[in-house]
Amino acid sequence: MSRAADRRAVIKATLAVVASRILGFPLALAVSMWLTRELTREEFAYFGILSSLSMLFALFAQAGFQTSVVRLLGEAEAGDRSFKKPSIFYASIIVTLVLSLVLGTLFYLFGRGLLPDIAGQSDWLFLLAAGLLVARSVNTVAAQALRGIGRVGASANLSGQGDQGGMIRCIAILAGFGLVVATGLLTLEAAIIVAIAASVLCAIWAAVIVLRHTGSEFDAADVARTINNRKRDNFNMMLSESLVYWTGAAAALVIGGMLVEAAAIAGMVAALQLRNILTSPMTMIAGAVPNILIRLHREGDKEELERVLRTTATVGFVICLSACLFLLALGPAGLRLIFGPDYGDAYYHLVIISAGVVFFVYCGLSGQTLLLLGDTRVQRRVMLIVTAITIPAYIILAIYFGAYGVSMGLFISMVLQKGLMIRAVRQNLDISTNAYLDPREYARAFRMLKRIIANRGKQGQS
């Protein structure tokens, strides 16, 4: 494939994700806005921390297949015949389903301390929480498989990742909320049931699309071979991804929920909904480019690989910085308007977190680049250092400064993680992933985009 075609593919894939996220993120925000007005602060914090905990649960339930299914299907699409495409998908689903059921049972029996204490807790509520963890794990790995076959827009729409998932999952949740409100009262238990149903719907939908593309032939021997062959690499990926988790916003919420009262941490839960909008440019790009990055790396075209990484990081950085300045200009009154009169404190959490988010996006896809193209041991070594510093920081700052201390810990974690990761990418792969700051590069990127669109138009006329 020519480099112009590569760049068209990057733009096309990114636009596909952007199109889905333009509605997806406001819809996810709408879910949170609805919940803040229907639930108490304690219940909203419980729901938000459960969503954050689902990311950690999924990492272990998927046993590395969350990333591996993207990598294997992406390599298969590029011509690798080591594994059959349907077997790659079946292996990821079977492993995730079996492990999530085992882990969900253990969570129900022994994991109650991982969620904040709220009034009216019951065995039924905790059983629903375990069910949501299982459903979101399967939903996430099924949607990730879509990225491997190049269906990045569909993957973003059907995703179970993040606080509320992709656009289709958010629409399903909002529709479910509407049905519940029409027939009664939206309680915490009802909200969790709706979220489970939305995850099951998205998982089935994603599976149908993948199997239509790869074929639905089930070869038990090849599925077993795929699972067995990937055990070591998947284990390394799982360790690397779990270390990323413990330095991120999800872990900050889980740790904060165990150390700080649920009502106090609710403001941070609300602020992180807006933080997801700030990081959305990089989320979109991360979902759009894996196939192209893998192929460029296999072809040894380091110069083009770096240009793709840095140009996409630049786009994300400019959008993130602009959105950050806009949100900060709203002030506490703006946050009360979004989340309700009890959530003015969310603004101060957003102020603390924003600087770290801007630096995080500026550094681009450094961590994902190491996982997809480099030595996972290097990535794991960096994250071990970051984890060893940030987890004690979360705990100490939460004890002394409460919920705001958790936000301070997240700021430290983002800056430290990306600073070390971008250095590791340079040493390991001899490329840079950070955004351009030179205005001439912005102009060059614009001219490249204009040229690609013009060439696309000529091809269409032909």
Side-chain angles (χ1 to χ4, degrees):
M1 185 181 290
S2 69
R3 293 296 162 252
D6 272 338
R7 292 168 180 171
R8 284 196 300 272
V10 171
I11 293 170
K12 182 179 178 181
T14 303
L15 289 178
V17 180
V18 169
S20 66
R21 294 294 186 180
I22 282 175
L23 285 176
F25 281 105
L27 287 170
L29 184 60
V31 172
S32 296
M33 291 169 63
W34 197 330
L35 290 175
T36 56
R37 286 164 172 79
E38 296 289 337
L39 305 181
T40 66
R41 279 179 68 101
E42 291 84 354
E43 289 173 334
F44 175 67
Y46 187 98
F47 189 91
I49 291 171
L50 175 60
S51 296
S52 297
L53 184 62
S54 70
M55 300 177 200
L56 176 64
F57 183 93
L59 287 176
F60 291 104
Q62 293 158 355
F65 269 106
Q66 179 176 350
T67 299
S68 186
V69 70
V70 179
R71 184 170 186 169
L72 291 176
L73 284 174
E75 290 175 347
E77 291 288 305
D80 192 311
R81 295 293 178 264
S82 300
F83 305 101
K84 295 179 181 178
K85 293 180 186 179
S87 296
I88 296 170
F89 178 72
Y90 285 129
S92 65
I93 292 294
I94 290 171
V95 167
T96 300
L97 183 59
V98 170
L99 288 182
S100 63
L101 289 173
V102 172
L103 293 174
T105 302
L106 294 174
F107 175 77
Y108 175 75
L109 295 174
F110 308 110
R112 305 194 180 206
L114 295 174
L115 293 174
D117 291 328
I118 62 171
Q121 288 188 96
S122 64
D123 290 343
W124 170 240
L125 176 62
F126 212 74
L127 180 62
L128 289 176
L132 181 59
L133 297 178
V134 172
R136 290 196 71 168
S137 297
V138 178
N139 179 185
T140 300
V141 79
Q144 285 294 94
L146 289 167
R147 298 190 190 279
I149 63 173
R151 299 292 297 274
V152 293
S155 177
N157 286 333
L158 294 166
S159 175
Q161 289 183 306
D163 290 314
Q164 311 302 341
M167 181 178 70
I168 292 175
R169 188 175 186 274
C170 289
I171 291 173
I173 289 175
L174 290 170
F177 286 176
L179 181 62
V180 171
V181 170
T183 58
L185 183 67
L186 181 59
T187 63
L188 176 59
E189 290 85 351
I192 295 175
I193 291 172
V194 168
I196 292 171
S199 288
V200 172
L201 170 67
C202 291
I204 293 173
W205 197 334
V208 169
I209 296 173
V210 172
L211 293 176
R212 281 182 177 175
H213 178 87
T214 63
S216 58
E217 175 191 359
F218 183 82
D219 185 337
D222 195 58
V223 170
R225 185 176 69 87
T226 304
I227 295 172
N228 186 62
N229 187 274
R230 294 298 305 176
K231 284 190 298 187
R232 181 173 180 178
D233 285 343
N234 278 11
F235 181 75
N236 288 333
M237 283 187 179
M238 182 180 70
L239 287 180
S240 298
E241 290 167 348
S242 64
L243 290 171
V244 171
Y245 174 91
W246 283 113
T247 60
L253 276 186
V254 172
I255 294 172
M258 291 188 286
L259 298 174
V260 181
E261 290 184 359
I265 204 72
M268 183 181 178
V269 175
L272 288 178
Q273 314 306 307
L274 298 177
R275 178 249 185 198
N276 292 333
I277 294 177
L278 297 178
T279 58
S280 62
M282 291 313 300
T283 304
M284 298 172 190
I285 291 165
V289 300
N291 287 17
I292 293 166
L293 298 183
I294 290 169
R295 189 177 66 254
L296 290 173
H297 183 63
R298 286 166 62 93
E299 294 173 359
D301 194 340
K302 189 179 296 184
E303 181 179 349
E304 183 66 15
L305 176 62
E306 180 171 318
R307 177 157 291 278
V308 169
L309 286 166
R310 297 197 67 182
T311 301
T312 51
T314 301
V315 173
F317 173 67
V318 171
I319 296 173
C320 174
L321 182 60
S322 302
C324 183
L325 294 174
F326 172 78
L327 289 174
L328 293 180
L330 294 177
L335 275 290
R336 292 191 190 98
L337 181 64
I338 294 172
F339 294 112
D342 295 333
Y343 285 87
D345 59 323
Y347 177 79
Y348 303 105
H349 288 284
L350 185 64
V351 170
I352 295 170
I353 294 168
S354 291
V357 171
V358 171
F359 182 76
F360 190 91
V361 174
Y362 164 77
C363 292
L365 301 176
S366 52
Q368 293 91 328
T369 300
L370 273 179
L371 279 177
L372 288 171
L373 311 179
D375 189 338
T376 57
R377 292 174 297 179
V378 175
Q379 193 266 3
R380 188 164 64 250
R381 191 161 54 243
V382 170
M383 295 313 299
L384 277 171
I385 296 171
V386 179
T387 303
I389 295 172
T390 56
I391 289 184
Y394 284 144
I395 295 171
I396 293 170
L397 290 170
I399 291 172
Y400 284 98
F401 299 100
Y404 293 112
V406 182
S407 293
M408 295 175 196
L410 180 57
F411 165 78
I412 293 170
S413 176
M414 286 188 287
V415 173
L416 181 62
Q417 176 187 335
K418 281 297 187 177
L420 293 178
M421 197 66 72
I422 201 168
R423 178 171 173 268
V425 172
R426 289 193 186 109
Q427 292 178 342
N428 187 248
L429 296 172
D430 194 28
I431 58 175
S432 295
T433 64
N434 57 288
Y436 294 115
L437 295 178
D438 187 342
R440 292 173 296 181
E441 293 292 345
Y442 287 46
R444 189 177 302 168
F446 175 77
R447 288 195 299 270
M448 182 183 76
L449 176 62
K450 185 177 179 180
R451 186 167 59 251
I452 290 171
I453 294 173
N455 290 337
R456 183 69 172 175
K458 292 177 182 178
Q459 290 181 359
Q461 293 173 1
S462 300

